[in-house]
Amino acid sequence: MAKGSKIAIAGEGGQGVQSVAMIISEAAYEEGKEALYIPNFGVEQRGGVSVAYVQISDEPIGSPKFKTGDIVVALSDRAVKRTQKYVGPQTLFVYDADIEGIEEDLPKNARKILAIPAIEVAKNELHPRVFNVIIMGAVIGATGVVSVEKAKEALEKKLGYKFEQDPKLRELNHKALERGIQLVQELL
Amino acid sequence: MADKPIQGEKKVFMTGNEVVAWAALAAGAEIMYGYPITPQNEIMHYWTRLAPKYGRKFLQTEDEISAGFTTVGGVLAGRKAFTATAGPGNTLMQEAMSMAEMMRIPTVLVVTQRGGPSTATVIYSQQEVTMTCYGGNGEGLRIVYSTASHQELFDYTIKAFNTAWKYRFPTFILGDGYQSKMRESLTIYDPEAKGIELIPAEAYVGKSGIPGIDRDPAHLRNTYNLEDELYEVVKGHVAAYQRVAPEIVEYKEYDTDDAEIIVVAHGVVSRAAQGAIKVLRQEGIKAGHFRPVTLRPFPVEQLRKKADKVQKLLIVESAEGQLKRLVTDALYGITTPIETLLKPGEGVTVEEIVEKVRKLD
């Protein structure tokens, strides 16, 4: 695994990108790594483009903002446009295969560009509400930045109270996580 | 009385707003007066959740003017009171902070800078430097700590209560929206277990005994009829401020000993500067970083000593020259060229500073 990982996840407010970023950074902290998570959003609570920056490293982390990410994930057309500037020659750019009309806006200089069918899998195979956990899986699958076990523990910490009420939710979330890892690894 | 909020010390992973709430608890703050504004909101939220468990109090006021003045009132009554705000809220609180300056009231105000002017963004900037250091109608007799990490946010929030009560000048923690919202690890602790003595609060009004007989009368004024009367009072405050300033001033240096270029930055931007210095040194560029921790009083002498010896200074900030004004004021008469990297309302990255210094070299 790389010494440090810089991750940017962008989507529409309400898509759950901030929760994903928080859970990944919690998992990394619990694994004994240095982690820094910072959300970035507009004045509106919902509806704007929301960007989450996560840095994970073996060493203390400096500046909260970075210029280019190791992995940049965009989950809406506006997010694709907005995140272009965080892409460089080392960046793995991941976007959802369902986003239409963005061919022109895809970054030209990325190391690799992957279109993953996260929205489709969430809708047809699992449940729309675990869309963001599929994304979480994709980030973990692409970076190996935290172990699957720690990711599950972090999910438990965040959603455990819901899992208690409905144990099927736990299963659904774990499946979403694993499916996300699989989606990205198939393409890498 | 409930147990101490923090026993010994503990490693945690939390947001800066959470850190401030815990620090205020650990410092023995008794009451927070507040009015919601992003990105400061969660300081209030965490405080209201934690405070009742430890016998502390909270009052939400109708606006920031009121939050500022109730904080002043709380302190007058002998309570360890504090408040927190940002952006337009900081603007409104300057009225109360001017009063605190005039009456030497040890208020503690946590500012989480957002973009400006006016409502602007809810996220981040370093654009509240001038207002926090010199806001209000007066001479800016305040103490302003600019923090760079969650650990410092914790350490300096505790320290601010002591500084305020020891010197009796309004004391500010100048954080920012990044610090408010970001999560990173730090160690929280019980200050007393670390040997940090917490200076107790003391009431300004309603003291026991008969004024003029058992004790001096509390002579609390913020209104003066005559200009010579005011002159004397302000001169007295200025002299007191200048006397204690050397004890209060704090700064940090990174690789400045043999530096040919010094990057001056404060707060979160200091982290990018530190990262940049590491990269530049590997390239053989003799760059160093000077960071004022207190923006008021400013480490004038310390920076002058450095600035006189280097070939160039580079000022980096997320504002259009607010730190620069403090620096040029401090360096008056020194002819070292000053370059700038000014990004109002936007974060600064390591790469940008590296690139800028390379061009200067």
Side-chain angles (χ1 to χ4, degrees):
Chain A
M1 198 199 76
K3 206 166 89 186
S5 283
K6 296 185 167 93
I7 304 164
I9 313 171
E12 297 298 308
Q15 272 185 317
V17 303
Q18 302 300 347
S19 306
V20 167
M22 196 169 96
I23 298 170
I24 293 173
S25 58
E26 284 267 353
Y29 168 73
E30 291 295 335
E31 224 166 43
K33 290 179 180 150
E34 294 288 341
L36 189 154
Y37 154 53
I38 170 173
N40 204 304
F41 43 79
V43 185
E44 64 281 66
Q45 282 290 318
R46 272 170 212 285
V49 175
S50 173
V51 189
Y53 305 87
V54 176
Q55 294 184 68
I56 292 164
S57 176
D58 296 330
E59 288 165 16
I61 293 161
S63 163
K65 254 190 127 176
F66 47 82
K67 195 159 187 189
T68 51
D70 298 309
I71 176 167
V72 173
V73 184
L75 302 174
S76 73
D77 50 357
R78 292 196 297 177
V80 169
K81 286 178 198 149
R82 187 61 203 274
T83 50
Q84 274 179 355
K85 62 176 180 175
Y86 303 119
V87 177
Q90 301 302 321
T91 309
L92 171 68
F93 186 81
V94 180
Y95 70 103
D96 193 280
D98 266 12
I99 308 171
E100 287 172 358
I102 38 102
E103 291 69 25
E104 294 294 299
D105 298 315
L106 289 173
K108 309 281 181 281
N109 57 339
R111 175 166 64 86
K112 203 163 196 177
I113 296 184
L114 302 183
I116 61 164
I119 292 175
E120 190 207 309
V121 169
K123 214 162 40 182
N124 301 330
E125 213 179 287
L126 298 164
H127 193 284
R129 70 200 284 193
V130 291
F131 166 69
N132 63 342
V133 181
I134 298 176
I135 297 304
M136 180 177 155
V139 172
I140 290 169
T143 57
V145 82
V146 289
S147 66
V148 180
E149 294 71 43
K150 279 291 168 204
K152 284 183 180 169
E153 277 174 36
L155 272 175
E156 198 68 36
K157 208 170 156 190
K158 172 99 175 152
L159 301 169
Y161 71 102
K162 284 188 184 167
F163 296 168
E164 290 303 314
Q165 290 162 4
D166 184 1
K168 269 190 223 145
L169 273 182
R170 181 182 286 118
E171 208 181 306
L172 185 66
N173 275 278
H174 287 182
K175 219 182 262 176
L177 186 73
E178 280 149 16
R179 205 60 184 93
I181 295 173
Q182 197 188 356
L183 284 181
V184 79
Q185 282 179 347
E186 275 168 10
L187 294 170
L188 274 176
Chain B
M1 184 62 192
D3 284 343
K4 282 193 166 184
I6 306 163
Q7 311 279 352
E9 55 177 60
K10 203 172 143 197
K11 199 169 177 238
V12 293
F13 184 68
M14 50 171 71
T15 66
N17 283 338
E18 224 171 323
V19 170
V20 170
W22 278 107
L25 273 182
E30 293 168 271
I31 182 163
M32 177 184 186
Y33 300 91
Y35 186 77
I37 190 163
T38 312
Q40 163 275 157
N41 283 328
E42 295 87 1
I43 296 177
M44 285 172 48
H45 294 166
Y46 292 122
W47 176 264
T48 52
R49 232 175 277 167
L50 293 166
K53 293 184 196 163
Y54 303 101
R56 320 292 174 87
K57 291 190 166 71
F58 174 75
L59 178 71
Q60 184 180 322
T61 55
E62 67 267 40
D63 57 28
E64 284 94 345
I65 296 177
S66 178
F69 279 111
T70 45
T71 304
V72 167
V75 174
L76 286 174
R79 297 284 174 267
K80 265 205 181 163
F82 78 108
T83 185
T85 191
N90 193 2
T91 309
L92 294 175
M93 276 194 197
Q94 290 307 319
E95 177 65 17
M97 292 304 116
S98 297
M99 184 179 179
E101 206 176 302
M102 173 59 98
M103 294 162 73
R104 302 282 306 269
I105 297 167
T107 49
V108 172
L109 167 52
V110 181
V111 176
T112 65
Q113 297 169 94
R114 55 189 265 172
S118 193
T119 303
T121 64
V122 296
I123 312 168
Y124 166 83
S125 84
Q126 292 190 316
Q127 294 172 282
E128 294 178 51
V129 165
T130 304
M131 180 158 61
T132 309
C133 291
Y134 289 101
N137 58 332
E139 305 302 329
L141 305 178
R142 295 113 181 262
I143 294 141
V144 180
Y145 294 111
S146 174
T147 57
S149 65
H150 281 15
Q151 191 62 58
E152 286 189 354
L153 209 48
F154 188 81
D155 298 345
Y156 282 102
T157 300
I158 291 171
K159 192 170 197 174
F161 284 95
N162 269 355
T163 307
W165 281 95
K166 185 170 177 190
Y167 299 108
R168 305 215 165 194
F169 288 107
T171 302
F172 298 75
I173 300 296
L174 189 66
D176 61 61
Y178 282 178
Q179 293 179 45
S180 279
K181 299 285 186 181
M182 80 188 188
R183 282 171 191 270
E184 69 176 353
S185 63
L186 74 150
T187 304
I188 60 173
Y189 51 81
D190 166 25
E192 283 172 318
K194 274 203 155 192
I196 300 168
E197 192 192 329
L198 300 175
I199 299 174
E202 194 191 321
Y204 278 59
V205 292
K207 288 182 177 179
S208 58
I210 302 159
I213 295 170
D214 304 321
R215 59 170 173 87
D216 288 336
H219 199 60
L220 297 165
R221 284 179 77 186
N222 70 340
T223 310
Y224 294 85
N225 299 331
L226 303 171
E227 56 186 41
D228 48 355
E229 242 182 344
L230 176 66
Y231 171 85
E232 217 168 281
V233 170
V234 174
K235 276 292 194 187
H237 290 348
V238 170
Y241 187 83
Q242 283 168 347
R243 201 168 51 241
V244 297
E247 290 173 32
I248 298 167
V249 156
E250 286 186 45
Y251 65 99
K252 287 189 175 156
E253 290 178 277
Y254 305 85
D255 285 334
T256 55
D257 284 348
D258 64 339
E260 290 166 359
I261 295 174
I262 283 186
V263 177
V264 186
H266 75 98
V268 150
V269 178
S270 169
R271 296 166 68 138
Q274 290 166 44
I277 299 311
K278 266 190 212 157
V279 177
L280 292 162
R281 285 273 165 180
Q282 279 164 8
E283 292 177 10
I285 297 174
K286 286 188 179 170
H289 167 41
F290 184 94
R291 173 192 163 204
V293 175
T294 48
L295 297 180
R296 257 315 257 160
F298 196 81
V300 175
E301 291 314 313
Q302 294 84 352
L303 183 59
R304 285 182 75 88
K305 253 185 228 157
K306 293 290 164 191
D308 220 6
K309 279 194 273 178
V310 297
Q311 288 163 14
K312 247 171 209 164
L313 287 170
L314 172 66
I315 298 168
V316 185
E317 57 178 314
S318 295
E320 193 64 29
Q322 301 199 20
L323 171 66
K324 187 183 167 223
R325 277 197 286 276
L326 297 178
V327 172
T328 49
D329 187 19
L331 297 185
Y332 180 74
I334 286 180
T335 53
T336 309
I338 294 177
E339 305 275 349
T340 55
L341 175 57
L342 309 177
K343 296 190 73 194
E346 253 202 15
V348 180
T349 62
V350 171
E351 293 86 347
E352 285 165 314
I353 300 177
V354 168
E355 205 179 309
K356 181 81 185 178
V357 174
R358 271 191 205 135
K359 274 187 204 154
L360 298 178
D361 196 41

